[in-house]
Amino acid sequence: MKFPSLNVQIFIAAIGGVFFGWLAHTGEHGVALYAANLVGTLFIDLLKMVMIPLVFCAIVTGIANLRQHRQIDVVWKTTLLFFATTTIIAVVIGLTASHLFKPGAGLHLEMFSHAMQQFESRQMSLPEFFTQFLHGIFMNPFKALAEGNILAIVAYAMCLGIALVMASERYPQWLALFEEGMGLSMQMIGWIMRLAPWGIAALLFKLVATQDVSLFASLTKFMLVVTGTTLFHGVIVLPVLLFLFTGKHPVWFLRQAREALVTAFATSSSNATMPVTMRCATQNMHVKPEIAGFVVPLGATMNMDGTALYEAAAALFVAQLAGIDLSLGQQLVVCLTTMIAAMGAPGIPSAGMVTMVMVLQSVGLPAEAIAILLPIDRLLDTVRTAVNVEGDMIGSLVVQHRIEKLAQ
């Protein structure tokens, strides 16, 4: 008996997880929820287990190999330019949609006072954020590896990769070791992906079965605006940019990227999805390992289109709730702060909540209003994480196309 492909299995599992989660939402589901939590947590933990060695080895070998081919300048410039462009577009879409549809109009903060009573926020100014951001980049590499601090790991791995190149041929055994480490990590990912249908079904079952719908009626318009604009960015904007820059058809991309997109949707974590993203980029889309090993891990920490769009829209939503009209200058501050906050947001579930306070405070909005968004954040996080991951894969394709074009 021939089993369906992994893509088909994941698709069926996702539908089944949502369906049975919806059935369990109104009934007793203690045992089922425990089992789903166990399976889903195991799947994420397995991905996280292989994520750190994969990212470290991929960055080191990627930098070293690109340097050897004298392509690092082109890769750096193309990667950062693409990430900055898509983030700016996402922020503009979020602000424009909030102006057009005004999801906060007619609502008042008082009606959400019960959601804000138990919320406490840590006040963090922009200078404090920069200080903490830089402090988190440059730290003990062993501590970073142990804590899974992706940003610090990326920074150290980049330095190590450059050091290997500058040392010329004195340490070939080290480069070979990291290349073997990346190969072994990719092999382990292949094993873990056999469990992907079960893990994704369990995660979606838990998400749907445990969602609190008490505030959904009041926040439906905001949810629709954010979800609609995020999907517009992911289904229209990013594929159009892919076609313009590389000539590759969006349908082809979606077929090759399905595993990573569904995993990102289910886990709501760019970091946990990174091994699958690397697998799709290198094996399905045939991106060179040195390019994918550089662009994808960097994108998982810096390229957060969905998060940037969400935070920009949420800032205007809170302003509308508070009855505050933000000036053009204040909206520009929101744009800048949102871009910075999105780059510093960790690739974990609900990462936007970590930096949302800073965005609100940048224009004097009440930080306590973030509590209004907490009941719906986990649900919205699924879509924006999938768009974040999509941007990373498209970025790797754009960079590779640029390299190939220059080589002609």
Side-chain angles (χ1 to χ4, degrees), residues 47-63 144-145 148-158 160 178 181-182 185-186 189 270-278 289-290 292-301:
L47 289 174
K48 289 182 177 180
M49 176 187 71
V50 75
M51 175 192 68
I52 298 301
L54 171 66
V55 171
F56 187 76
C57 295
I59 286 286
V60 173
T61 57
I63 289 287
L145 289 168
N149 187 328
I150 293 297
L151 201 58
I153 292 170
V154 168
Y156 182 75
M158 289 173 63
L160 183 57
F178 290 125
M182 182 176 174
S185 297
M186 294 301 294
I189 292 168
S270 300
N271 287 349
T273 309
M274 200 186 308
V276 188
T277 308
M278 288 282 293
E290 59 265 28
F294 175 80
V295 177
V296 171
L298 189 64
T301 58

Side-chain angles (χ1 to χ4, degrees), residues 112-123 353-354 356-357 360-361 366-375:
F112 298 106
S113 58
H114 63 285
M116 296 166 58
Q117 287 175 355
Q118 304 298 324
F119 181 79
E120 294 181 2
S121 63
R122 181 181 180 273
Q123 306 296 312
M353 292 293 99
V354 178
M356 191 69 222
V357 172
L360 295 177
Q361 291 179 339
E368 292 76 16
I370 195 175
I372 299 168
L373 305 173
L374 290 177

Side-chain angles (χ1 to χ4, degrees), residues 57-99:
C57 295
I59 286 286
V60 173
T61 57
I63 289 287
N65 290 327
L66 289 172
R67 279 277 185 177
Q68 289 173 346
H69 293 90
R70 297 182 179 179
Q71 297 171 333
I72 188 62
D73 290 339
V74 177
V75 173
W76 259 109
K77 293 174 182 177
T78 306
T79 300
L80 295 181
L81 180 61
F82 180 80
F83 287 171
T85 301
T86 57
T87 302
I88 291 173
I89 293 174
V91 171
V92 171
I93 290 175
L95 291 175
T96 303
S98 295
H99 276 296

Side-chain angles (χ1 to χ4, degrees), residues 95 327-337:
L95 291 175
S327 65
L328 179 60
Q330 289 175 313
Q331 292 182 45
L332 291 176
V333 171
V334 169
C335 289
L336 178 61
T337 311

Side-chain angles (χ1 to χ4, degrees), residues 103-107 111-112 114 212-224 317 321 372 375-376 379:
L107 302 178
M111 63 186 296
F112 298 106
H114 63 285
D212 181 10
V213 298
S214 60
L215 292 180
F216 279 11
S218 301
L219 299 175
T220 297
K221 189 174 182 181
F222 174 70
M223 293 174 61
L224 290 175
F317 173 67
L321 286 178
I372 299 168
I376 62 171
L379 186 62

